[in-house]
Amino acid sequence: MFLDSNGQPIDVTPENLQDYSYDLHGVMLLTSSDVEAYLPPKWHGTIYGTEEMLINYRQNFNPDPALLNFHALQAYEPELICCRNVVIELTVLPAGQSLYSDSEIAVFMVKLAKFITNTDGTETPETNTNTLISKEIGTELSFFPHNHHYHLRIMSEGIDVVYVDDKIYQNGAPGVSYQHQRVCNLLSNLQPRCVKSLSGRPLPPVLNSVCRDPNVLSI
């Protein structure tokens, strides 16, 4: 999936491949090395992931090195990444093994901070959000090691939004499926303020009922 110019996730599929325009600077998040990404025509940019996933992806699909850059992130170690309009803090989190293959998968945390410049030159935070982006839910639902400093930070700040792939839902209906139960379990574990779909389509209302009260400050 990609991050747009404001650091928001966009899932590119064969159906919408031609709908988005990308400039020469772009950010793509690699959540699995087993599935080839759909790249918009003539897109130039950087693919972010763990070192192992990037190596496996290049071996599996032989992408054009003239068009793409690859940047390996260390798990649980945030890095500042420039999108077109904002600077975000990007962190890759191992998410266990895919339920569909032997491949290891990952999710990403995007921290977005926007500031207002005051008349005296000082800056005041306008928004400060933590967004977890999940393309696939694998074997691991707890992404933060309890003995790691990153876990303490997330526990203190909380997660505001979780993005999930909504392909498992038909017309926004939850149905009865193992994947739906895993989505509910994930939200119950993380307790975000809200959940959104990568496609922008409505999700079953029951998913937001699993999220925490938006007035509660901690997870």
Side-chain angles (χ1 to χ4, degrees):
M1 83 196 69
F2 294 82
L3 297 182
D4 68 12
S5 57
N6 294 310
Q8 300 300 315
I10 294 177
D11 192 22
V12 176
T13 66
E15 292 74 28
N16 65 22
L17 189 60
Q18 303 294 335
D19 294 346
Y20 299 111
S21 60
Y22 291 82
D23 59 18
L24 296 181
H25 304 283
V27 174
M28 182 185 135
L29 309 181
L30 185 65
T31 58
S32 171
S33 60
D34 266 9
V35 180
E36 187 171 14
Y38 294 102
L39 299 177
K42 300 181 181 179
W43 181 80
H44 293 235
T46 301
I47 300 179
Y48 293 87
T50 66
E51 183 173 8
E52 181 180 1
M53 290 173 62
L54 293 176
I55 291 173
N56 291 339
Y57 184 81
R58 281 179 286 192
Q59 290 175 343
N60 291 340
F61 302 108
N62 194 29
D64 188 348
L67 295 178
L68 306 174
N69 295 313
F70 295 86
H71 184 84
L73 298 167
Q74 296 296 318
Y76 317 116
E77 296 298 332
E79 289 194 25
L80 294 179
I81 305 296
C82 292
C83 297
R84 189 173 191 179
N85 298 331
V86 296
V87 175
I88 63 166
E89 185 184 89
L90 182 65
T91 311
V92 64
L93 310 174
Q97 186 175 311
S98 172
L99 300 180
Y100 309 104
S101 71
D102 295 332
S103 174
E104 296 296 314
I105 62 173
V107 299
F108 288 85
M109 182 73 77
V110 173
K111 182 178 182 64
L112 175 62
K114 291 185 178 180
F115 296 86
I116 298 175
T117 302
N118 303 315
T119 54
D120 60 359
T122 61
E123 292 186 330
T124 303
E126 179 184 23
T127 58
N128 194 350
T129 59
N130 283 327
T131 298
L132 186 88
I133 304 172
S134 169
K135 174 68 177 171
E136 178 185 346
I137 299 174
T139 56
E140 183 61 63
L141 294 180
S142 179
F143 306 131
F144 313 103
H146 284 218
N147 60 347
H148 196 282
H149 63 84
Y150 192 76
H151 175 262
L152 297 178
R153 172 182 160 181
I154 296 302
M155 287 292 291
S156 173
E157 295 180 359
I159 297 175
D160 298 288
V161 185
V162 169
Y163 279 90
V164 297
D165 195 341
D166 58 315
K167 289 187 185 132
I168 64 172
Y169 299 112
Q170 298 292 329
N171 299 320
V176 179
S177 72
Y178 179 62
Q179 285 297 316
H180 171 66
Q181 289 302 317
R182 290 190 66 73
V183 171
C184 289
N185 290 339
L186 174 71
L187 298 176
S188 180
N189 286 350
L190 299 181
Q191 288 289 286
R193 293 180 187 271
C194 68
V195 57
K196 297 182 179 181
S197 69
L198 288 173
S199 72
R201 291 188 293 264
L203 289 170
V206 66
L207 294 185
N208 269 308
S209 72
V210 181
C211 299
R212 76 179 188 271
D213 186 324
N215 296 313
V216 177
L217 297 180
S218 61
I219 60 175

